[in-house]
């Protein structure tokens, strides 16, 4: 019995060892099979996003970058660019997405992408060779170029106001509008000096009686003698006065009930005031720091009951007051149904009018009072302000039209 027990014990030990060994061998075979079935794919790595600025007035800039790296088993393989522009190309203003791919011999493909952002550099001083916005990268239509319309443009560099181009007397401009009380439009408040047209506001020492209305303040209105129409680009460089009165640049249409075309339209390119206060209507509390435009279809007595006053507007609130510096306000009256607006050479917004804006008008610059921003008792600037404080200044007005190249 003793010998039998010893034999069984030896057999059991041998069998157990075999079981353990089989178990270990089985695990090793499984791992080896798993490793041998794993697919090795290529990898690819792109550069970080690139952001650059074009030269002043340029539409493109040369950009170089490191080509992406693709590896297979730590060995480099070829890459192919499938979108964007190659290193060393002229990149346009805006964002260009560059995508690269790599494919191994088994058909496994990987891709990566990065962007190149080219920012336009705003020209510090607009030239008089083309509209400011088009100097900053906006392109004219194919085969066209901008040519200045001299009769609707003025650099105001002379010593005297050009009465051949502009009306400054409301009695002669064909509108016969003398202002919105209490500010009276008077030609004597318009002058030219130091390269600017100046429209100066004032408070009268004694109220004036004119057309059975009492006027306490003075402003002015200037209108072009030549007509302005769609298809042209209009711009001015203007610095607002610091009073409650307005500073404006717009196009007024002369249509009224006596004309065959009775629609009364108004295209406001810029309308702001120099100062707001507690008495200013709530909706106008930002009008001293604003770029604001309108396309208005006015209601007239001769309109039908179905006709209503309608308007489409664009607004951009500013961080600066309109009297802090000169701003360039621009408008491309592109067609009767599309009007684009620009601030300091950059596109801001578009307006789609509620009716076709297909009627010619007159460039207008009116410095006036509003009942929604009334003269207030605290507004002592009329007594204490300097000439610059009280004056809306126009460095220049320029109008452009497209012609064939």
């Amino acid at each position: 019995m003793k010998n039998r027990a010893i034999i069984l014990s030896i057999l059991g030990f041998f069998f157990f060892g075999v079981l353990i060994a089989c178990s270990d061998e089985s695990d090793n075979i499984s791992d080896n099979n798993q490793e041998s079935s794993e697919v090795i794919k290529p990898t690819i790595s792109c550069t970080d996003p690139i952001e650059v600025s074009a030269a002043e007035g340029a539409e493109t800039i040369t950009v170089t970058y490191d080509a992406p790296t693709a590896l297979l088993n730590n060995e480099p393989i070829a890459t192919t660019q499938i979108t964007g522009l190659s290193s060393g190309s002229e990149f346009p203003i805006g964002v260009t997405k560059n995508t690269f791919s790599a494919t191994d011999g088994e058909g496994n493909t990987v891709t990566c992408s990065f962007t190149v952002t080219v920012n336009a550099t705003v020209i510090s001083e607009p030239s008089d060779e083309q509209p400011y916005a088009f100097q900053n990268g906006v392109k004219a239509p194919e085969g066209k170029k901008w040519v200045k319309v001299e009769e609707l443009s003025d650099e105001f560099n002379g010593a005297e106001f050009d009465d051949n181009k502009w009306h400054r007397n409301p009695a002669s401009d064909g509108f016969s509008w003398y202002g919105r009380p209490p500010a009276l439009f008077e030609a004597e408040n318009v002058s030219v000096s130091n390269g600017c047209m100046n429209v100066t506001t004032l408070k009268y020492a004694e109220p004036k009686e004119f057309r059975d209305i009492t006027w306490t303040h003075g402003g002015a209105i200037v209108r072009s003698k030549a007509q302005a129409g769609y298809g042209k680009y209009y711009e001015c460089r203007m610095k607002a006065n610091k009073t409650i009165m307005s500073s404006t640049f717009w196009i007024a249409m002369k249509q009224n009930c006596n004309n065959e075309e009775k629609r009364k339209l108004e295209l406001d390119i810029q309308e702001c005031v120099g100062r707001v206060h507690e008495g200013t209507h709530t909706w106008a509390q930002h009008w001293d720091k604003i770029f604001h435009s309108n396309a208005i279809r006015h209601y007239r007595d001769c309109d039908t009951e179905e006709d209503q006053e309608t308007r489409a507007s664009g607004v951009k609130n500013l961080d600066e007051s309109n009297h802090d510096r000169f701003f360039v306000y621009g408008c491309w009256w592109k067609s009767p149904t599309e009007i684009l607006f620009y601030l300091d050479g950059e596109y801001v917004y578009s307006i789609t009018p509620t009716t076709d804006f297909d009627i010619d008008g007159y460039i207008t610059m009116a410095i006036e009072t509003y009942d929604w921003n009334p003269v207030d008792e605290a507004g002592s600037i009329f007594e204490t302000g300097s000439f610059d404080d009280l004056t809306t200044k126009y460095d220049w007005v320029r109008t452009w039209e497209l012609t064939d190249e």
Side-chain angles (χ1 to χ4, degrees), residues 103-231:
T103 304
D104 64 16
E106 301 298 323
N108 299 305
T109 299
V110 290
T111 63
C112 70
S113 300
F114 67 96
T115 57
V116 173
T117 301
V118 179
N119 298 313
T121 300
V122 175
I123 298 173
S124 55
E125 290 296 331
S127 76
D128 60 355
E129 296 181 357
Q130 61 176 327
Y132 192 16
F134 291 79
Q135 296 171 47
N136 285 322
V138 179
K139 293 184 178 181
E142 189 71 27
K144 298 289 185 179
K145 64 179 180 179
W146 290 103
V147 176
K148 188 187 291 185
V149 182
E150 292 295 341
E151 62 267 28
L152 290 170
S153 303
D154 202 327
E155 300 297 315
F156 304 119
N157 288 332
E160 297 181 356
F161 181 84
D162 190 346
D163 288 294
N164 294 318
K165 284 187 176 180
W166 308 99
H167 292 284
R168 57 177 165 173
N169 184 350
S172 65
D173 64 14
F175 287 80
S176 298
W177 180 40
Y178 290 86
R180 184 180 288 107
L184 176 64
F185 292 153
E186 294 191 288
E188 63 193 48
N189 296 330
V190 182
S191 62
V192 170
S193 64
N194 299 319
C196 288
M197 179 179 73
N198 309 299
V199 182
T200 305
T201 67
L202 73 156
K203 180 180 179 181
Y204 298 134
E206 297 291 336
K208 289 187 177 184
E209 297 294 326
F210 178 73
R211 290 194 164 188
D212 298 324
I213 298 174
T214 300
W215 308 84
T216 58
H217 291 70
I221 191 166
V222 177
R223 299 189 194 270
S224 64
K225 292 191 172 181
Q227 286 191 316
Y230 70 85

Side-chain angles (χ1 to χ4, degrees), residues 13 40 83 97 115 126 129 137 147 153 164 172 218 229 240 247 278 294 321 335 353 366 369 385:
F13 177 77
I40 306 300
T83 69
K97 184 178 181 180
T115 57
E129 296 181 357
V147 176
S153 303
N164 294 318
S172 65
S247 295
E278 291 182 356
N294 290 312
S321 296
S335 74
T369 48

Side-chain angles (χ1 to χ4, degrees), residues 179-400:
R180 184 180 288 107
L184 176 64
F185 292 153
E186 294 191 288
E188 63 193 48
N189 296 330
V190 182
S191 62
V192 170
S193 64
N194 299 319
C196 288
M197 179 179 73
N198 309 299
V199 182
T200 305
T201 67
L202 73 156
K203 180 180 179 181
Y204 298 134
E206 297 291 336
K208 289 187 177 184
E209 297 294 326
F210 178 73
R211 290 194 164 188
D212 298 324
I213 298 174
T214 300
W215 308 84
T216 58
H217 291 70
I221 191 166
V222 177
R223 299 189 194 270
S224 64
K225 292 191 172 181
Q227 286 191 316
Y230 70 85
K232 296 181 176 64
Y233 188 101
Y234 305 88
E235 59 185 347
C236 78
R237 187 169 185 263
M238 177 179 77
K239 182 180 181 182
N241 68 76
K242 293 184 178 181
T243 77
I244 53 87
M245 294 177 68
S246 69
S247 295
T248 67
F249 178 59
W250 50 296
I251 297 174
M253 287 68 171
K254 198 179 291 187
Q255 278 61 34
N256 56 49
C257 293
N258 297 323
N259 296 350
E260 181 178 351
E261 173 55 80
K262 294 180 171 57
R263 285 180 301 143
K264 175 66 174 176
L265 306 181
E266 175 182 330
L267 175 54
D268 300 322
I269 299 172
Q270 166 63 339
E271 183 179 22
C272 65
V273 298
R275 185 176 69 87
V276 296
H277 51 82
E278 291 182 356
T280 305
H281 283 206
T282 303
W283 57 265
Q285 286 293 331
H286 293 285
W287 274 55
D288 60 337
K289 299 178 180 180
I290 200 169
F291 179 35
H292 166 250
S293 312
N294 290 312
I296 305 174
R297 198 278 196 205
H298 289 285
Y299 178 80
R300 312 293 285 180
D301 292 341
C302 54
D303 286 330
T304 65
E305 293 183 1
E306 291 77 17
D307 293 322
Q308 299 292 327
E309 178 162 308
T310 58
R311 70 178 62 203
S313 302
V315 174
K316 177 180 175 63
N317 291 325
L318 308 178
D319 295 328
E320 306 169 90
S321 296
N322 293 99
H323 60 66
D324 282 344
R325 64 176 177 87
F326 282 92
F327 292 84
V328 178
Y329 304 106
C331 168
W332 186 5
W333 186 1
K334 194 171 183 180
S335 74
T337 59
E338 184 180 12
I339 310 173
L340 292 73
F341 296 85
Y342 299 81
L343 177 64
D344 288 336
E346 296 186 352
Y347 170 79
V348 180
Y349 47 72
S350 295
I351 288 179
T352 301
T354 58
T355 184
D356 284 352
F357 263 57
D358 53 1
I359 301 173
D360 289 348
Y362 300 85
I363 294 177
T364 303
M365 293 158 278
I367 313 304
E368 60 180 313
T369 48
Y370 299 118
D371 57 4
W372 46 262
N373 193 42
V375 178
D376 60 325
E377 293 300 324
S380 60
I381 190 170
F382 285 109
E383 290 83 14
T384 62
S386 65
F387 175 83
D388 288 346
D389 292 338
L390 301 177
T391 300
T392 297
K393 295 187 176 184
Y394 297 85
D395 184 12
W396 43 258
V397 171
R398 295 170 183 165
T399 301
W400 309 85

